[in-house]
Amino acid sequence: MTYSLNFAAVWRSFDLLLEGLALSLGLAFAAILAGCVIGLIAAFGLVSKTVALRKPAGLYVTIIRNTPILVLVLFSYFALPELGVRLGKIESFVLTLAIYSGAYLAEVFRGGLIAVPPGQREAGLAIGLTEMQIRTSIIIPLMLRNVLPSLGSTMISLFKDTSLAAAIAVPELTFEARKINVETFRVIETWIVASCLYVATCSLLAALMRVVERRLAVPR
Amino acid sequence: MDFAFLDQLWLARLPLIKGLGVSISISFLSIAVGTVLGIFVGLALTYGYKPMQWLVRGYTDFIRGTPVLVLVLASYYVLSTVGVELGPFQAGILALAVFCSSHVGELVRGALQSIPKGQTEAAKAIGLTFSQTFAYVLGPQALRQALPAWVNTAAEMVKASTLLSIIGVGELLLRTQELISRTFMSLEFYFFAGFLYFVINYSIERFGRYVERKTAVPS
């Protein structure tokens, strides 16, 4: 068996791959922002003393975490229109990814919230802050510092999950790679280049998170 | 939901059951192969010689940095290009097993490294060889450490098995999509498929909690 690698065809379409990568990053970024908001609300639900808040939050986390993301992606793109919710490909994908990551982030944030010592809340009360002020200016900043490592790994796996957008023909990196495959038949070369782009971006994100963690670390 | 859906569901029971069977076999095979591979990966990461450690570290980091879907697509299309004739099923299992092995590898490494050094030293002191130390001292403790996380990985693999629908393996999701293109009942059938996956994964999750309780060191 002889096969000679020839990257020329892939390099010619390299800008397509880069555009795809940019869209992947954009999807992941939009989804993590929305996912953080959803996850934060759900996390406060999970640690709430009120059953009426705790149960729905728990149900959301359990259902989403135990359903394959591809099913969710297809459901929101193909089945939601039947309920009268009509979204474009990108909007429906970002929404799905946000809801999916929200469930994982809820667990992450819950752990972080529990780790904030109760004395912090009491100190806030003592200086006359309202419950809402205590949350926004004391508990959430402390919690974010606690959860930074898990937040980083959730972000990286979210970035990898953007590849599923190819299933509903969103032109992100995986979709572009398949397109180049079909056009040039340079299958091995294309997948090597696409995987390397993914790996490089993930390593970059991981390095970035390490820098942020160091900058925000509590000085000892 | 009206009765038209139940009628369609009854008509389609055989392909759906078959699809579910394929999904379960995919998950089972990829977990089994991935776990065996992963144990070797974990051992190499912990006890391997330096160059071997670097090699295996490169492998796990590369696999963990690549989306599973890319692994699945690459395995299916690349292998056929270089003349290895694998069907979509085999190529898909290969990709998922490789994915699983990188995760199990890290699990095993984490579990082995969490065992206090004193355990190895104690084993040496009473004259055990390395393989005896591993079999009687390190292995059982690592197993207890890694088991709960391994059960989580198993649930991940069931979810990842849906990706094989994209290369045309007739598992549950693909069968569901075929049904929808015939009946146009996308809402009901996606809901149904999602429900089935939920039931499987939720059972695995509960089982994981049970295992965690059973294997916990009594305090």
Side-chain angles (χ1 to χ4, degrees):
Chain A
M1 182 207 76
T2 50
Y3 184 94
S4 53
L5 289 175
N6 179 358
F7 285 94
V10 184
W11 293 137
R12 268 197 296 283
S13 331
F14 194 62
D15 50 335
L16 269 182
L17 287 178
L18 284 185
E19 273 170 41
L21 178 63
L23 183 58
S24 294
L25 276 170
L27 293 171
F29 190 66
I32 193 112
L33 280 185
C36 274
V37 175
I38 299 174
L40 204 56
I41 296 171
F44 275 111
L46 288 175
V47 297
S48 163
K49 288 192 181 67
T50 322
V51 181
L53 292 176
R54 207 170 55 227
K55 286 276 170 197
L59 202 65
Y60 157 69
V61 172
T62 311
I63 290 180
I64 297 296
R65 282 174 62 111
N66 287 312
T67 311
I69 178 164
L70 185 56
V71 173
L72 296 174
V73 168
L74 295 173
F75 182 86
S76 69
Y77 186 57
F78 292 111
L80 281 187
E82 279 192 45
L83 292 172
V85 184
R86 224 165 269 282
L87 293 172
K89 282 177 209 162
I90 292 187
E91 290 86 348
S92 98
F93 184 74
V94 169
L95 179 76
T96 312
L97 211 55
I99 290 177
Y100 186 72
S101 61
Y104 283 84
L105 289 173
E107 283 288 338
V108 169
F109 290 155
R110 187 182 68 103
L113 286 177
I114 291 174
V116 175
Q120 299 286 341
R121 184 177 156 273
E122 286 157 13
L125 282 176
I127 58 169
L129 297 183
T130 64
E131 283 287 347
M132 211 54 199
Q133 282 172 322
I134 292 174
R135 268 180 208 165
T136 53
S137 49
I138 301 178
I139 296 184
I140 292 178
L142 286 173
M143 178 275 287
L144 279 180
R145 206 182 251 175
N146 283 341
V147 301
L148 227 44
S150 328
L151 191 65
S153 60
T154 310
M155 201 166 78
I156 288 169
S157 75
L158 197 65
F159 169 68
K160 290 192 291 165
D161 286 337
T162 58
S163 62
L164 293 171
I168 56 172
V170 174
E172 45 65 65
L173 182 50
T174 304
F175 184 81
E176 295 291 6
R178 288 186 89 177
K179 210 165 76 185
I180 294 171
N181 268 344
V182 174
E183 283 163 5
T184 66
F185 298 109
R186 285 288 160 191
V187 179
I188 301 179
E189 293 87 339
T190 320
W191 287 123
I192 290 178
V193 173
S195 320
C196 286
L197 283 176
Y198 273 113
V199 173
T201 314
C202 284
S203 320
L204 211 67
L205 286 174
L208 206 69
M209 285 311 290
R210 273 197 297 275
V211 171
V212 174
E213 265 169 56
R214 249 206 324 274
R215 293 287 298 266
L216 292 183
V218 187
R220 286 172 203 275
Chain B
M1 266 187 233
D2 53 14
F3 291 108
F5 167 63
L6 292 181
D7 283 346
Q8 289 296 340
L9 191 60
W10 180 247
L11 279 176
R13 63 192 185 282
L14 290 179
L16 281 179
I17 291 172
K18 239 189 201 158
L20 187 63
V22 173
S23 284
I24 291 172
S25 350
I26 293 169
S27 316
F28 187 78
L29 280 171
S30 55
I31 293 167
V33 178
T35 303
V36 173
L37 274 176
I39 290 173
F40 285 114
V41 168
L43 286 175
L45 282 175
T46 330
Y47 303 118
Y49 299 106
K50 276 286 170 229
M52 190 193 197
Q53 262 188 31
W54 293 328
L55 205 71
V56 180
R57 173 52 50 205
Y59 164 82
T60 35
D61 283 354
F62 192 82
I63 300 297
R64 282 161 60 92
T66 313
V68 200
L69 179 57
V70 171
L71 292 177
V72 170
L73 290 171
S75 154
Y76 182 47
Y77 292 112
V78 169
L79 287 177
S80 67
T81 312
V82 295
V84 182
E85 286 305 325
L86 287 184
F89 184 81
Q90 287 96 332
I93 298 278
L94 180 69
L96 292 186
V98 163
F99 167 70
C100 184
S101 76
S102 70
H103 281 255
V104 173
E106 289 285 27
L107 278 181
V108 171
R109 181 188 61 84
L112 285 172
Q113 285 180 348
S114 75
I115 300 171
K117 245 196 150 61
Q119 299 282 330
T120 321
E121 288 163 1
K124 255 190 205 143
I126 57 169
L128 296 186
T129 64
F130 179 75
S131 48
Q132 282 174 327
T133 309
F134 189 78
Y136 299 120
V137 182
L138 301 177
Q141 294 187 63
L143 193 66
R144 176 183 262 167
Q145 276 276 332
L147 210 53
W150 179 80
V151 175
N152 268 344
T153 307
E156 284 301 314
M157 295 315 292
V158 175
K159 292 202 275 176
S161 75
T162 57
L163 298 179
L164 266 53
S165 67
I166 290 175
I167 55 171
V169 177
E171 43 71 84
L172 181 58
L173 187 57
L174 188 73
R175 293 284 172 249
T176 305
Q177 285 174 300
E178 286 169 358
L179 261 173
I180 290 170
S181 59
R182 203 176 66 224
T183 62
F184 299 109
M185 295 178 170
S186 56
L187 192 64
E188 292 88 338
F189 277 111
Y190 276 133
F191 208 80
F192 183 73
F195 175 72
L196 284 183
Y197 281 113
F198 173 78
V199 171
I200 297 173
N201 278 320
Y202 188 64
S203 328
I204 296 179
E205 192 192 293
R206 295 313 296 241
F207 176 70
R209 295 241 182 95
Y210 172 78
V211 170
E212 210 166 327
R213 260 203 321 275
K214 278 283 168 192
T215 56
V217 185
S219 51

